Amino acid sequence: MKDDISEIKPVLSHPRDVVILSHRNPDGDAIGSSLAMKMYLESRGHFVKCILPSEYPDNFEWLPGVKDFMIHDLQPDECNKVVKKADLFLCLDFNSLDRVDKLGMAVAENKTAFKWLMDHHLDPEPFADYYYCDDSASSTCELVYRFMDEMGEKDKIKGVLADCIYTGIITDTGSFHHATNPDLFRMIAEMKEKGLDDTRLQNNIFNNQSEKQMRLLGYCLGKRLVVDEEKSIGLVFLSRKDYQNFNIQRGDTEGIINHILKIRTVKLAAFITAQPRIVKLSLRSKGDISVQALARDHFNGGGHFNASGGYMHAPLSKVIDKFWEHAGDYIK
Ligand code: 5GP
Ligand code: MN
């Protein structure tokens, strides 16, 4: 769903109070696309605030500008005030307002502001006035690049702005392992020609784990991994007690699910965690297995064909049982 670029040009032709929003548990794509679009819109004379429902993981702290994010969980009143005053919302890297929790309601209540959605998830919901969405894009950051190109302002994609775009692309593609396309590599080449230090960024993002995170990974693979060879499914789960014992904080479990998929015989991987109020599922698959369908049909969720998530209000053991009951149906 992609509206014509000519429709957004008049919206951006005079200074606006812009609020950029992205999703809970923000990843590199949410953070990178928000910061890149903030820089771009500020360069055109707009006033921009970035809001996230929850905090960002420590391993993105090196990104310039990341400390200016307003976090709704920490400062709800300030965030709501800014949302009320906004006359343009730019929603990045999510496809329905319930993905930003209470912020979604606040956005819906601001009836006069223009709503713009830029995203690469399947099935965007019809809440926006302008859609710059394409589920064939690797990442929202790829769409940010395409957008600036279509606006005739590709020259702005350099320095820190290019670093932000690259961050979203490598986190969402697992360093070019999945969801790539030929244009994406052309974009990377152009950024590299303009001085992108990709090795530094790869190190900042992927070789930036704490000892605790590595030990937690060891625990997950050593003690919490269940593999059903016959069904080609691998599962890791973490209980509330595990969260206490390891003092698990936001971001500490990032990427654990990718290790399950490294097993030769595993085609579908699940990472199921008991959070304070919900049980959260992360789902990944190889090839033509749709975890989006599994998340949508049984776990109130969605996302991408090969990477989705969902949640349930139920005890951990019930969620795990339900997962084993249904997951096999999605293996081809
Ligand atoms: P993750 O497993 O990294 O949390 O999420 C993988 C993908 O699934 C992301 O693209 C994310 O947007 C999507 N996703 C995760 N949780 C949910 C959810 O509860 N609902 C929906 N609709 N999508 C989700
Ligand atoms: Mn994304």
Side-chain angles (χ1 to χ4, degrees), residues 99 121 280 282-284 300-304 307-311:
R99 294 279 293 140
H121 291 90
K280 177 98 191 68
S282 279
L283 301 167
R284 301 287 186 276
N300 310 302
H304 309 286
S308 278
Y311 66 91

Side-chain angles (χ1 to χ4, degrees), residues 29 93 120 140 172:
D29 196 26
D93 202 37
H120 69 125
T140 301
D172 265 28

Side-chain angles (χ1 to χ4, degrees), residues 62-63 159 162-164 166-167 170 196-207:
W62 54 273
L63 261 175
D163 289 355
C164 291
Y166 186 76
T167 295
I170 59 170
L196 181 85
D197 187 352
D198 53 328
T199 307
R200 175 178 59 87
L201 297 168
Q202 291 275 356
N203 276 322
N204 280 352
I205 293 162
F206 296 116
N207 297 334

